Amino acid sequence: MIEKGSLYVVSTPIGNLGDITYRSVVILQQVSLIAAEDTRRTKKLLNHYRIKTPLSSYNSYNKIKKGGHFIDCLKNGKEVALVSDAGTPGISDPLYHLVRSAVKEGIEVYSVPGPSAPLAALVVSNLPVDRFAFEGFLPRKKGRKKLLKELSEEPRTLVFFESPYRLNKTLQELYEVMGNRKIAITREMTKVHEEVIRGDLENLIVSLKNRNWKGEVTLVVQGCSG
């Protein structure tokens, strides 16, 4: 009987390639196959660390078909690493499906922790971090205002991902629904143009209204104070 392989959920840098852990490099070198959300982005990381392990795409478009392929590999004794395009796999991406399938098949799943954009934003936000709620991306249209209204009564610090193209609109909507709260806008964390802007919604909406935003953005918003 063939002994099943293991699935390793490996966190990768959100910007600065030096942020990868030593254990992550070792695991990526030793596994038989890497399931990557974005093979082009992961290839840059592998090249930087001279890792030759084969890559195969695994994303929201092929998760059903490719998921079965990776499970077959694991059942046949191969070790597989799962990586997102950046940060911790499964956070606001579809990669948790592979973890769920592996657990269902009795395959061991190991976490190889490392960078996480929500945590990186939280610790520099100057807002309470003892309790927080991560909401990922807000809905683009349907249910957006309803969700914000529900979250307006949440006492924990709120963390969102947002597109730079919708950021000004989102700041305005947060102000209209939640009132004038403290907020931190973090952009391009750990990258060359890293930026953290702290203030309250009312003032930032005015001072940043003509800003042409670029890059990856995480918002940290003060919770309801009651």
Side-chain angles (χ1 to χ4, degrees), residues 15-190:
N16 192 314
L17 295 181
D19 288 339
I20 195 167
T21 68
Y22 179 76
R23 182 182 176 218
S24 294
V25 172
V26 171
I27 292 294
L28 293 176
Q29 288 172 330
Q30 292 181 345
V31 295
S32 303
L33 184 63
I34 298 172
E37 182 183 14
D38 186 337
T39 55
R40 292 169 299 179
R41 186 159 180 173
T42 301
K43 188 66 176 177
K44 293 179 181 178
L45 176 67
L46 299 188
N47 288 340
H48 184 79
Y49 286 99
R50 299 179 182 179
I51 298 171
K52 306 296 184 182
T53 307
L55 275 176
S56 185
S57 67
Y58 179 69
N59 51 51
S60 58
Y61 303 103
N62 65 13
K63 64 187 179 185
I64 303 300
K65 180 179 179 180
K66 294 298 286 289
H69 167 68
F70 293 124
I71 293 299
D72 286 341
C73 290
L74 289 159
K75 290 169 73 173
N76 284 295
K78 291 186 177 180
E79 306 282 284
V80 177
L82 175 64
V83 300
S84 63
D85 60 356
T88 301
I91 306 300
S92 286
D93 64 47
L95 304 191
Y96 71 91
H97 289 284
L98 187 57
V99 173
R100 186 168 61 185
S101 297
V103 171
K104 184 177 180 180
E105 294 291 340
I107 293 165
E108 291 288 348
V109 181
Y110 297 100
S111 175
V112 186
S116 170
L119 294 181
L122 268 166
V123 298
V124 297
S125 68
N126 198 35
L127 289 169
V129 298
D130 53 336
R131 299 179 67 229
F132 63 91
F134 174 65
E135 291 295 324
F137 286 96
L138 289 167
R140 292 191 179 187
K141 293 181 180 179
K142 187 177 180 180
R144 186 179 174 94
K145 284 288 185 69
K146 180 182 178 181
L147 177 59
L148 287 177
K149 182 64 177 176
E150 292 173 355
L151 292 173
S152 67
E153 299 181 7
E154 171 59 63
R156 294 172 293 179
T157 299
L158 299 168
V159 185
F160 303 95
F161 288 155
E162 189 52 282
S163 163
Y165 307 108
R166 294 190 296 271
L167 182 53
N168 287 333
K169 174 186 176 182
T170 298
L171 294 177
Q172 184 64 44
E173 289 177 338
L174 286 169
Y175 177 70
E176 292 173 358
V177 176
M178 298 185 177
N180 189 29
R181 298 193 183 185
K182 293 180 180 178
I183 185 172
I185 305 169
T186 69
R187 188 180 70 85
E188 295 289 87
M189 293 300 290
T190 80

